[in-house]
Amino acid sequence: MIRKRSFGVLAVVLLVMLAGCTGVLSDQTTPQNTPGITSEPTTTELTGTSTSPTGPDGELSIHFINVGQGSSTLIIGPSNETMLIDSGDWSDDGEDVLKYLQERNIERIDYLVSTHADADHIGGHEAVINYFETQGEGVGAVYDSGIASSSQTYQGYLDTIEEHDVTLYETRAGDTIPFEGVDTRVLAPPEGYLADGDRNENSIVLRLGYGQSSFLLPGDGETACEEYLVEEYGSGLNVTAMSAGHHGSQSSSSSEFLDATTPRVAVISSAYDSQYGHPHESVLERFHEQSIRAYWTATHGNIRIRSTGSTITVATQRQAPTSPLEIRDSDPVEPGLEDELVVRTTIQVSGSVTEETTTTSGTKTTEETLDQDGELSIAGFHADAEGDDAENLNDEYVVFENTGSESLELGGWTVSDSADHTYTFPSGFTLDPGAQVTLHTGSGTDSTSDLYWGAGSAIWNNAGDTIIVESDEGSLVLEEDYE
């Protein structure tokens, strides 16, 4: 059933009053064919969106914003539509979230999702809606679980929706959000609500499918929510990455839930010194047992996952451990840090994982490569040739290595930079397991260990650039920034 809400001033007052009594918002209208949300039968067949053998066009970008003890996630789709899921704690009033959005020139929020009404999730909603409705290009629609709160934060959120006449949808399992190019499913809460209407247990749970990759965003769902999801969807929950439920609370991310979701990456959003002990040691133990890489906003800062549909990259502001049992072995990162995001991990959705680190000289080196057959990585890099770059082009180079166990057929693969200078590996070129090949910018005679771009001028910017490798089918293989 489709549920669209259009609140008047009296309705807002009544809803806030009702929140103290029942905690559940009642339906007002149920129009059919509403453009902002569609409803379909719940299904265990949860897949990506691409039917093309070469995958979807463009990228999906998921940003986990460091807001301390709270949660906020920005998603930018392949056509630049935007979704903001939650907006951090009330104490910040949306300041860090708005700063993050403004730094990325976000002018409109197409879909604003309130996973639930807790003040550490909707704390910036009032400020976000006011900003985009008065200084930006607006908010397309707001999606709410329908369970109210008696807090001033929640009342301010509803008042702002009313003031700017923003469409508000009550959202349930089986609904889909029309996020262009991204298969966006609402998996929870169900129509009858869980756990007597508990707000956490009835968080809006979203699953995003993009090509072969998929992502689960469970809000503050705990035991009842996870049990419902496993029973309803089973192995259909399988995803590439997920955010840890309820900030890494011990009541979330159960072994049974992780067995069903099988994420390769988990992102935890909480404060370093969380008064609730997030993330809980038992959760970190469960991540460790299932070999799940953990990224924590408190130590990694802002975290961005990009997907081409077949490959995802994880970028963070700070280098910090991703082994769950070592996640606390780094200094805290305060919200608002302005450090740039740097790619740390590249994951081929079908198998391999490469983790990178940046040395003090800016050279990218492979730190760990797992579960691969043939796997291309960057073993060394030299952007600043000795002397005059233009007169010593062959001293500017990238060293590639096959860190896998099978040969790589690189013929037709391309190497490019951020300015679209492109080199193509020669037809039939093969890189054996453990072998390296150096790609020089200048001219020379190709061999099994040295290749030559043939460029007439320097390619790689000394001050920073991006190394991009794509397969002969156009799939992203590597994308690494250096400074």
Side-chain angles (χ1 to χ4, degrees):
M1 180 180 295
I2 300 169
R3 299 153 294 274
K4 180 179 180 181
R5 295 186 178 279
S6 178
F7 292 109
V9 175
L10 178 60
V12 173
V13 175
L14 288 174
L15 287 168
V16 173
M17 290 174 62
L18 283 170
C21 300
T22 65
V24 181
L25 304 184
S26 59
D27 286 339
Q28 290 188 342
T29 58
T30 55
Q32 299 301 311
N33 301 317
T34 308
I37 189 168
T38 58
S39 187
E40 58 187 41
T42 301
T43 176
T44 58
E45 187 177 349
L46 303 172
T47 62
T49 60
S50 175
T51 57
S52 167
T54 58
D57 294 328
E59 291 184 336
L60 174 68
S61 184
I62 305 174
H63 302 244
F64 299 89
I65 305 172
N66 180 16
V67 293
Q69 186 58 41
S71 179
S72 184
T73 306
L74 168 69
I75 305 173
I76 304 174
S79 65
N80 288 321
E81 278 199 331
T82 58
M83 175 182 290
L84 183 66
I85 303 174
D86 295 335
S87 57
D89 189 60
W90 65 273
S91 60
D92 176 61
D93 195 26
E95 181 179 342
D96 288 327
V97 172
L98 279 174
K99 177 183 176 183
Y100 192 89
L101 299 176
Q102 291 162 355
E103 288 174 346
R104 282 149 185 80
N105 299 314
I106 303 298
E107 298 179 347
R108 173 180 170 83
I109 299 298
D110 294 292
Y111 313 99
L112 177 59
V113 178
S114 310
T115 60
H116 61 300
D118 283 3
D120 62 332
H121 286 255
I122 62 166
H125 273 32
E126 181 177 353
V128 166
I129 294 171
N130 274 326
Y131 173 80
F132 284 99
E133 287 292 327
T134 59
Q135 301 182 52
E137 297 181 5
V139 175
V142 178
Y143 298 79
D144 193 289
S145 68
I147 299 180
S149 167
S150 58
S151 70
Q152 292 182 353
T153 301
Y154 186 74
Q155 181 172 352
Y157 153 57
L158 291 184
D159 287 345
T160 307
I161 289 174
E162 163 67 16
E163 178 184 351
H164 297 291
D165 194 25
V166 178
T167 300
L168 174 62
Y169 296 106
E170 187 178 306
T171 309
R172 292 287 193 282
D175 293 340
T176 60
I177 297 176
F179 196 11
E180 186 174 354
V182 183
D183 182 28
T184 306
R185 311 283 187 96
V186 180
L187 304 189
E191 281 289 347
Y193 288 128
L194 301 166
D196 297 322
D198 179 86
R199 285 199 298 270
N200 284 349
E201 296 287 25
N202 291 283
S203 293
I204 291 177
V205 178
L206 294 182
R207 184 184 189 275
L208 309 180
Y210 188 66
Q212 300 175 53
S213 63
S214 50
F215 307 89
L216 188 67
L217 305 165
D220 272 4
E222 300 181 87
T223 301
C225 178
E226 292 187 352
E227 289 177 351
Y228 164 78
L229 292 170
V230 171
E231 180 178 354
E232 191 71 19
Y233 303 99
S235 61
L237 290 171
N238 185 324
V239 291
T240 312
M242 62 176 279
S243 59
H246 199 191
H247 316 282
S249 167
Q250 63 179 324
S251 58
S252 302
S253 303
S254 69
S255 296
E256 294 76 14
F257 187 66
L258 296 178
D259 285 341
T261 54
T262 64
R264 304 176 71 178
V265 167
V267 177
I268 304 164
S269 294
S270 76
Y272 188 87
D273 54 354
S274 167
Q275 61 179 308
Y276 309 105
H278 298 153
H280 198 274
E281 290 301 321
S282 63
V283 173
L284 299 178
E285 286 280 358
R286 292 195 286 269
F287 286 166
H288 172 72
E289 290 170 1
Q290 304 224 14
S291 300
I292 298 169
R293 285 167 178 75
Y295 292 83
W296 187 19
T297 55
T299 55
H300 290 92
N302 298 321
I303 299 163
R304 183 195 67 213
I305 298 179
R306 280 181 174 168
S307 173
T308 64
S310 59
T311 301
I312 69 169
T313 59
V314 184
T316 68
Q317 288 183 298
R318 291 283 177 85
Q319 179 80 17
T322 60
S323 173
L325 300 184
E326 300 174 2
I327 201 168
R328 298 186 186 278
D329 295 345
S330 287
D331 294 330
V333 177
E334 295 299 320
L337 180 72
E338 295 183 358
D339 288 16
E340 294 295 320
L341 291 160
V342 176
V343 173
R344 312 291 182 185
T345 307
T346 300
I347 299 177
Q348 303 293 328
V349 176
S350 61
S352 61
V353 178
T354 304
E355 292 189 74
E356 296 95 20
T357 184
T358 304
T359 67
T360 55
S361 65
T363 302
K364 283 285 190 176
T365 58
T366 299
E367 183 178 85
E368 182 180 11
T369 305
L370 304 173
D371 303 326
Q372 69 274 11
D373 295 320
E375 177 70 22
L376 189 69
S377 61
I378 295 175
F381 183 72
H382 195 218
D384 190 4
E386 184 176 354
D388 186 339
D389 287 2
E391 296 180 0
N392 194 13
L393 293 177
N394 283 340
D395 195 38
E396 180 185 271
Y397 56 81
V398 183
V399 180
F400 295 103
E401 181 178 0
N402 180 359
T403 53
S405 58
E406 295 183 2
S407 296
L408 282 172
E409 301 288 341
L410 299 182
W413 288 30
T414 60
V415 180
S416 59
D417 68 346
S418 58
D420 290 331
H421 299 111
T422 301
Y423 167 83
T424 303
F425 282 96
S427 177
F429 186 83
T430 300
L431 193 62
D432 292 331
Q436 295 184 351
V437 62
T438 301
L439 174 60
H440 303 271
T441 296
S443 299
T445 302
D446 289 344
S447 67
T448 57
S449 60
D450 294 273
L451 296 172
Y452 297 86
W453 194 303
S457 59
I459 297 293
W460 306 109
N461 292 325
N462 294 345
D465 210 332
T466 304
I467 306 170
I468 304 166
V469 180
E470 294 182 336
S471 72
D472 54 347
E473 296 180 347
S475 298
L476 182 67
V477 176
L478 290 173
E479 182 175 358
E480 299 186 358
D481 301 319
Y482 69 89
E483 300 175 352

